[in-house]
Amino acid sequence: MKYELILMDADETLFDFQAGEKNAIEQVVAEMGLPTAGVAEKYHEINQGYWKKYEQGLVTQPELRKRRFEDFAGFLGVRERAGDMSERYPVLLGQQAILFPDALKVMREISRALPVVIVTNGHAQVQRSRIGRTPLVQYISDLVISEEVGFNKPDPRIIFKALERNGGVRPERALMVGDSLTSDMRAGLNAGVDTCWYNPSGQESPNDMEIHYIVETLGQIVPIALQN
């Protein structure tokens, strides 16, 4: 086979993260006795901003988790409750194990022939809880989390760590699959591994990135991963 190892993103590739995020943040706000209308959209906006800063190395994960809730609680007018929100949210988010419809089928088919490693920038407590609540665990060879290894996508060192931990696979024999151009695809290209962009919304391909494959459905990943 062309590849010896498949590296797979988690959020918005296998997991419907936005649905889980919405459920969790609305529950946090409801538990505090506050109205929930519109809060998910505002939290998503704030959270995305901090994750982009994290990818750029402008904030650490602890700073991200603290500052996003300071901003969000300030928006709600309860800034003094930011710490409570920051502690409660990951517990509730870790219970949100919402997979996309074809995720299990795709992981099962690929894992029959090749090891699949999840490579994620997510919070370790949350990611391990969510994945552990799904049948995904039986199809995953390893789980490489930025918070635990010290490097986050797009830093190629998180890819190198995944390759090292899984038999020392050479970069040219691995494939990185994910939905994010700035995180997944850039990390793969930076590391010299082939890249497969999961692009369900049909966005235009960027001119400054030579992505190897572009798919609009999860099922299209299987023949790419298993090609000879």
Side-chain angles (χ1 to χ4, degrees), residues 74-101:
F75 164 75
L76 295 175
V78 289
R79 190 176 180 85
E80 71 280 1
R81 302 295 302 277
D84 296 335
M85 289 184 173
S86 182
E87 290 184 8
R88 183 61 174 151
Y89 176 73
V91 175
L92 296 174
L93 184 61
Q95 299 170 6
Q96 302 296 321
I98 307 171
L99 292 171
F100 285 125

Side-chain angles (χ1 to χ4, degrees), residues 1 3 9 16-17 30 34 37 54 63 69 116 123 140 160 171-172 193 196 201-202 209 223 226 228:
M1 285 187 173
Y3 300 115
D9 176 52
D16 187 344
F17 180 78
L34 299 171
Y54 177 64
E63 289 172 336
F69 279 103
V116 182
H123 181 21
I140 297 172
F160 297 147
E172 63 270 21
V193 307
C196 179
S201 59
M209 299 178 73
L226 302 184
N228 292 319

Side-chain angles (χ1 to χ4, degrees), residues 197-205 214-217:
W197 181 29
Y198 174 49
N199 179 26
S201 59
Q203 299 176 54
E204 186 175 346
S205 179
I214 301 175
V215 301
E216 293 189 1
T217 69

Side-chain angles (χ1 to χ4, degrees), residues 49-134:
Y50 277 109
W51 276 106
K52 289 186 183 302
K53 290 179 181 179
Y54 177 64
E55 290 176 7
Q56 297 165 4
L58 300 177
V59 297
T60 64
Q61 269 220 27
E63 289 172 336
L64 178 157
R65 294 197 295 269
K66 179 176 183 288
R67 290 168 59 182
R68 66 183 175 184
F69 279 103
E70 289 176 344
D71 291 358
F72 181 61
F75 164 75
L76 295 175
V78 289
R79 190 176 180 85
E80 71 280 1
R81 302 295 302 277
D84 296 335
M85 289 184 173
S86 182
E87 290 184 8
R88 183 61 174 151
Y89 176 73
V91 175
L92 296 174
L93 184 61
Q95 299 170 6
Q96 302 296 321
I98 307 171
L99 292 171
F100 285 125
D102 290 335
L104 282 178
K105 179 182 178 183
V106 167
M107 289 289 286
R108 181 171 60 248
E109 291 184 12
I110 296 175
S111 66
R112 285 172 177 164
L114 292 171
V116 182
V117 175
I118 300 294
V119 181
T120 175
N121 280 355
H123 181 21
Q125 171 192 346
V126 171
Q127 297 300 68
R128 290 193 176 278
S129 174
R130 292 164 68 223
I131 290 171
R133 292 169 181 268
T134 75

Side-chain angles (χ1 to χ4, degrees), residues 117-155:
V117 175
I118 300 294
V119 181
T120 175
N121 280 355
H123 181 21
Q125 171 192 346
V126 171
Q127 297 300 68
R128 290 193 176 278
S129 174
R130 292 164 68 223
I131 290 171
R133 292 169 181 268
T134 75
L136 275 181
V137 291
Q138 61 189 306
Y139 307 125
I140 297 172
S141 296
D142 193 8
L143 176 56
V144 179
I145 303 175
S146 61
E147 185 180 21
E148 295 178 342
V149 301
F151 311 112
N152 59 282
K153 297 176 289 185
D155 191 323

